[in-house]
Amino acid sequence: MTQQLPFHEGLFTWPAEQPELLGSRCEDCGQHAFPAQDSCRSCTGTNMKTVSLGNRGTLWTWTIQSFMPKDPYSTDETPETFVPYGVGYVELECGLRVESRLRENTPESLEIGMPMELEIIPLRTDEGVERVTFGFKRQAAA
Amino acid sequence: MTDVAIVGLGLHPFGRSPTMNGLEQGAAAARAALADAGTDFKAMEFAFGGSQDGGNADSLVNLLGLTGLQFTNIWNGCATGGSSLNAAYSAIKAGQYDVGLVVGFDKHPRGAFNPKPREWGLDEWYGETGLMLTTQFFAMKIQRYMHDHGISRETLVSIAEKAFRNGSITPTAWRQTALSREEIENAPMVSEPLNKYMFCSPAEGGCALVVCRADIASRFTSNPVYLKTAVVRSRNYGSFEVFAPSQAPFVAKSPTVTASQAAFELAGIGPEDVDVAQLQDTEVGAEIMHMAENGFCEHGEQEKWIAEGRTEINGQLPVNTDGGCLANGEPVGASGLRQVYEICLQLRGDAGARQVPSSPKVGYTHVYGAPGISGVNILAT
Ligand SMILES: [Zn+2]
């Protein structure tokens, strides 16, 4: 099986059967950040702890990227093979709104408030290593 | 403390100037402003200038003359012009100088901006995986706003229609052809719900202002415009901003709201006193949201305002009378100063075919830029 590595370390648990986003929580004021950072955007403090942000949320807003972005976009796609993708902010259970690619890519399939779940998606192959990033998709009915 | 007057206006037309580099367009604007003030570069005691892609602003001295003045470069994203004017305002208010030049210019490559993640404090993955596009942010902000405040797609179209109509009667505008609703509605989608005609494009151009102590303004002009306040603010935690991998669980006042409130307080007037305004319209949603963020209407009232034509040139509060960024394009370094230039023309009664008919006395400019910075100026005759 092809080796899968994240585009960037520390954004989500990987490898994992049920990956979760990773972020930080301020031990002083309780606000979260994604990606994890050493200082707090809310209270200016530096008492931060890396925590799981879970893998579920609801869609807060969305759009659709309908043309292939230019540099620094770096996937295996070409303008010919490019498939439009959704982009949105997903409100996680802790309240933080995380920006993400969305699997749904039509106005009909996207709705503010819809339940979302994390997925890990391959976007590029580097010398046999598949680079993966996080995305969200509509939560499967329970 | 002394008041500050704008006594010279210069603009090198926005759009494309294939035979001129960015600095040359800045120099052309500077010379036009100096001529408008009936003065020359030797008389300038200081200059503040900025450009994103057009070169170092202080290199303008090679073209304008090596006079030894203090020339400080300002770079503050889309708010560069606002920040330059703010710096000049402070220098004169503080009594440091009597008269100086504010200049902005740019010459961007064609197509959308392609920002580099590292320059914005972000790691490469953010750009590589397709999240670092300002168009996405603007689309997502107005998408949520339409959901929360009942703004319709028809209103988005109306803003674009007004911009190109106003551009068509502005000789210095880049886009000088009015577009029909159908043409706007049928343009290719860029980022749902915003299509090609709903976004402004990077462009070229230059703009300059001569500013001085109010009590010496009559040396330069018989119709000075007074800069009542020049305020710049960055974002607070919770402001919904571009280039943000995550946003707070609540939406706080944007830098536009904080800059606007501070500007009105300093000027001692309110939104109801403004006769003509320039509101940052990098896309149609921005103009709609900025109407409320700057205090001119309540959130959601834009739907009625636009339907009634209240922001048209002959309306109660004309907005972006020269077609704004949508019709002029956005040479980043010059764009904020173009707003001030247009308001000064309107207050002087020199705006030609697009002149607001009611002899406007108080004008307002608002610029907004990545990653969450706003500049507001209040001007009066
Ligand atoms: Zn904190």
Side-chain angles (χ1 to χ4, degrees), chain A residues 7-8 31 34 41-42 60-67 70-74 85 89 95-97 99 101 112, chain B residues 112 114 123 125-130 136 139-140 143-144 147 189-192 237 240 244-247 249:
Chain A
F7 268 77
H8 193 82
Q31 291 292 311
F34 173 83
R41 298 175 298 173
S42 172
W60 193 78
T61 186
W62 60 270
T63 184
I64 296 160
Q65 180 60 38
S66 41
F67 61 89
K70 57 185 185 180
D71 184 68
Y73 191 62
S74 178
Y85 56 92
Y89 278 96
L96 190 71
R97 295 165 188 158
E99 189 178 13
R101 289 175 68 111
I112 287 173
Chain B
N114 54 337
D123 285 312
W125 68 271
Y126 188 68
E128 288 177 350
T129 63
Q136 295 172 349
M140 287 193 284
Q143 185 88 266
R144 180 73 198 195
H147 172 269
M189 187 57 71
V190 173
S191 210
E192 185 76 31
Y237 182 66
F240 186 73
S246 65
Q247 311 264 6

